[in-house]
Amino acid sequence: DAHAIEGDWVTLTVADNGVGISAGLLSRKSTLGFLGMYERARLAGGSLTVNSGSGKGTRIAVRLPMGEVEPNRNARGSGEGP
């Protein structure tokens, strides 16, 4: 839906006016879609926020640095350790 640039950061936002997502669903560890989005944002040096409420729609925003990010050597999938 929208993007904003602040200094060396870009924020991308997607929002809808649908039925929303319950807080319980967002906090469940078995929700791999959200878990994957949080992890990818973190690995890229940024953050992800999800705001939603039953019957109030959902707003997802990812904030990422625009410069190069040094790889996180301790992250899963980096080829080092568990």
Side-chain angles (χ1 to χ4, degrees):
D1 276 345
H3 72 279
I5 297 175
E6 299 172 29
D8 292 335
W9 293 85
V10 62
T11 302
L12 306 170
T13 305
V14 176
D16 70 18
N17 60 355
V19 298
I21 303 167
S22 71
L25 181 62
L26 287 173
S27 65
R28 286 185 11 205
K29 298 293 183 199
S30 62
T31 310
L32 296 178
F34 286 113
L35 188 61
M37 289 191 295
Y38 282 112
E39 182 72 5
R40 284 175 179 81
R42 187 187 66 77
L43 289 172
S47 62
L48 180 94
T49 57
V50 179
N51 296 308
S52 187
S54 184
K56 297 182 180 181
T58 302
R59 181 180 180 270
I60 299 174
V62 62
R63 185 171 189 257
L64 300 168
M66 291 195 297
E68 289 189 32
V69 175
E70 191 166 319
N72 181 346
R73 299 281 182 208
N74 295 322
R76 287 187 302 184
S78 66
E80 296 181 21

